[in-house]
Amino acid sequence: MTNRMILRFLSLADNVGLARVAVAQMAGQIGFSLSDVEEIKVAVSEAVSNAIIHGYQGREDGWVEVACSVAGDELVVTVEDWGVGIADIAKAREPAYSTDPERMGLGFVFMESLMHAVVVESAPGRGTRVEMRRRARVGALSRDVQ
């Protein structure tokens, strides 16, 4: 079975839950356990929150897009914003690093620990795209930066 969903919403904190529910529904189509779905929801929350908080720096008029596909036993979730972008992706992925001193800086750490692959693409002034993959069956862990 193959299915795909694209959801676009304004950069409002209230929309994090919307993204979680939509992706959880897609994940449920390919046999993830309830525990797996909860972990996927956390990863989605972190990616969407990063887009809203860091990408748009509190602006509520930016767009965030969540695309999700299921094919076979794999879920692919992409979260994209067109905000400020990330100047140093490797630094942003370091534990406890944050551009906001009020934040713990663990978003990417959570995403990487809960998904089988995380790819981050970003350019200052152009936005950020985070692609996360998880298979319903346990496999090798892969982390890529582009």
Side-chain angles (χ1 to χ4, degrees), residues 3 15 17 20 24 40 55 58 62 67 70 76 80 84-85 89 95-96 114 119 125 133-135 137 142 145-146:
N3 196 3
N15 288 331
R20 286 171 53 98
I40 291 164
V70 293
V76 179
E80 187 166 5
V84 300
I89 295 170
L114 299 171
V119 177
R133 294 176 176 266
R134 181 153 172 172
R135 289 176 303 286
R137 295 185 196 112
S142 170
V145 177
Q146 295 181 354

Side-chain angles (χ1 to χ4, degrees), residues 10-13 49-62 83-84 100 103:
L10 287 173
S11 54
L12 300 167
S49 293
N50 277 356
I52 292 170
I53 294 165
H54 300 291
Y56 291 112
Q57 299 177 323
R59 282 186 26 233
E60 296 182 339
D61 62 344
V84 300
D100 182 345
R103 306 287 171 191

Side-chain angles (χ1 to χ4, degrees), residues 33-126:
S33 70
L34 289 176
S35 177
D36 291 338
V37 171
E38 287 304 314
E39 290 178 351
I40 291 164
K41 287 166 58 177
V42 170
V44 169
S45 293
E46 293 296 333
V48 172
S49 293
N50 277 356
I52 292 170
I53 294 165
H54 300 291
Y56 291 112
Q57 299 177 323
R59 282 186 26 233
E60 296 182 339
D61 62 344
W63 289 102
V64 177
E65 184 173 285
V66 177
C68 184
S69 65
V70 293
D73 67 349
E74 185 173 51
L75 174 78
V76 179
V77 180
T78 303
V79 177
E80 187 166 5
D81 69 69
W82 293 268
V84 300
I86 301 170
D88 186 340
I89 295 170
K91 183 79 172 164
R93 290 176 88 156
E94 289 179 6
Y97 174 81
S98 179
T99 57
D100 182 345
E102 301 282 322
R103 306 287 171 191
M104 293 180 5
L106 297 174
F108 283 121
V109 172
F110 286 140
M111 287 180 246
E112 292 169 342
S113 69
L114 299 171
M115 303 298 277
H116 291 131
V118 177
V119 177
V120 182
E121 299 170 343
S122 190
R126 294 180 56 204

